[in-house]
Amino acid sequence: MVAKVKTERRMFHNNEECPIRNVITQIGDKWSMLILFALVDGADRFNSLKSRIVGISQRMLTQTLRDLEREGYVKRTVFPEVPARVEYELTTMGLGIVKPLYQLVTWASENHEEIKRSRREYDEKIM
Amino acid sequence: MVAKVKTERRMFHNNEECPIRNVITQIGDKWSMLILFALVDGADRFNSLKSRIVGISQRMLTQTLRDLEREGYVKRTVFPEVPARVEYELTTMGLGIVKPLYQLVTWASENHEEIKRSRREYDEKIM
DNA sequence: CCGGATCCCTAGGGATACTG
DNA sequence: CAGTATCCCTAGGGATCCGG
């Protein structure tokens, strides 16, 4: 069986003490995973990321990159050129978390048709 | 190498077409994962879940359970007794998604000290 | 016991305009 | 180019009270 995530059938709840919430809360936001995946193939610059991650605003790209940097997933490098050039790349830990995330994405890809079907079915029952 | 999640270096963005966002958005909320994990060992009743998942409100437990049911992860069974008794259990698909989620949780458990360290370091640099 | 219905408040996040 | 700073609006979610 899989490892326990609870204490005596009592679930963690405090963000500080619960690794699940503590880690997933950050990655679970709107853009973090997409940015991590966008960096898997190697370093990239701000505006390149912005155009590749369709729909993200400048504000959220900056902010999420800062958060990912703070968590230790992303390394930010400023090249003192004119105009400024900034590159972002995954750290070892960033590459580390991407692996289990891919497991999830793979599962999601394989099952999201079934999930959409389940949603439709549920919604029909309600109405 | 891992499977691509992008199209020609262009990331998915639309929730309808992007399995990542489409699936993760749902379980990425505040309580879904905790509820799924709470049901791994078998079916459980509403109030039992409520006391085991410390900190969850009645409102959010109900709502999240409904969402999980709609996604197809959880089956809800009402026993026509007095007082009413309702049991929730994982479906096959619910058990399915728990596996990759555990990969993530395991990773999180192993790395969240390192992450907390990274946060402290980052915050010190800023101030 | 298991919720549904309300009220309310905050954090997340979009749009836009401005800088080194 | 790579941000910062504002404004603003909505969705998430807590607290509380009511009902089958």
Side-chain angles (χ1 to χ4, degrees):
Chain A
M1 238 317 160
V2 273
K4 295 285 180 187
V5 221
K6 17 184 194 181
T7 320
E8 310 149 10
R9 267 186 93 71
R10 190 90 151 284
M11 308 296 293
F12 285 115
H13 62 298
N14 187 324
N15 277 358
E16 289 307 304
E17 298 309 320
C18 172
I20 315 176
R21 302 207 57 76
N22 199 358
V23 175
I24 275 71
T25 298
Q26 176 53 40
I27 305 264
D29 69 4
K30 196 168 178 183
W31 300 108
S32 290
M33 284 183 57
L34 288 174
I35 294 177
L36 290 178
F37 289 139
L39 291 173
V40 165
D41 293 339
D44 202 359
R45 329 178 32 167
F46 187 86
N47 275 332
S48 171
L49 284 170
K50 179 157 163 31
S51 60
R52 287 172 59 212
I53 302 171
V54 186
I56 196 169
S57 67
Q58 198 173 42
R59 182 185 185 283
M60 289 317 295
L61 181 55
T62 305
Q63 183 175 306
T64 310
L65 280 169
R66 291 292 174 279
D67 291 341
L68 293 175
E69 190 188 356
R70 190 176 103 103
E71 299 289 291
Y73 299 139
V74 165
K75 178 159 176 283
R76 176 172 181 268
T77 312
V78 183
F79 296 87
E81 308 171 356
V82 180
R85 178 167 140 245
V86 181
E87 281 197 354
Y88 295 90
E89 60 185 325
L90 293 187
T91 61
T92 306
M93 208 161 61
L95 279 167
I97 198 175
V98 158
K99 289 170 192 167
L101 287 180
Y102 261 121
Q103 300 289 105
L104 199 55
V105 169
T106 302
W107 189 92
S109 302
E110 292 168 357
N111 292 83
H112 88 293
E113 285 303 330
E114 174 72 8
I115 290 174
K116 290 202 280 187
R117 215 183 51 73
S118 173
R119 287 176 192 162
R120 281 195 301 273
E121 195 176 307
Y122 183 93
D123 292 343
E124 281 168 15
K125 257 189 247 170
I126 302 298
M127 329 250 209
Chain B
M1 242 312 164
V2 274
K4 295 285 183 188
V5 221
K6 12 179 201 182
T7 321
E8 310 150 10
R9 264 186 96 69
R10 189 88 152 285
M11 309 295 294
F12 285 114
H13 61 297
N14 186 324
N15 277 358
E16 290 307 306
E17 298 308 321
C18 171
I20 316 176
R21 304 208 54 76
N22 200 359
V23 175
I24 274 70
T25 297
Q26 176 53 40
I27 41 164
D29 68 5
K30 195 168 179 183
W31 301 108
S32 290
M33 284 184 57
L34 288 175
I35 294 177
L36 290 178
F37 289 139
L39 291 174
V40 165
D41 293 338
D44 202 0
R45 328 179 31 168
F46 186 86
N47 276 331
S48 171
L49 284 170
K50 180 157 162 31
S51 60
R52 287 173 58 213
I53 302 170
V54 186
I56 195 168
S57 67
Q58 198 173 43
R59 183 185 185 282
M60 289 317 295
L61 181 55
T62 306
Q63 183 176 307
T64 310
L65 280 169
R66 291 294 173 281
D67 291 341
L68 293 175
E69 190 188 355
R70 191 175 103 103
E71 299 290 290
Y73 300 140
V74 165
K75 180 160 175 284
R76 176 172 182 267
T77 313
V78 183
F79 295 89
E81 308 171 357
V82 180
R85 177 167 141 247
V86 182
E87 282 198 355
Y88 296 91
E89 61 185 325
L90 292 186
T91 62
T92 307
M93 209 160 62
L95 278 167
I97 197 174
V98 158
K99 289 170 192 167
L101 286 181
Y102 261 121
Q103 299 290 105
L104 199 55
V105 169
T106 303
W107 189 93
S109 303
E110 291 167 358
N111 291 83
H112 86 295
E113 285 303 330
E114 174 73 8
I115 291 175
K116 289 203 278 188
R117 213 183 52 72
S118 174
R119 286 176 192 161
R120 281 195 301 273
E121 194 176 309
Y122 183 91
D123 292 343
E124 281 168 17
K125 257 189 248 170
I126 301 298
M127 329 250 209

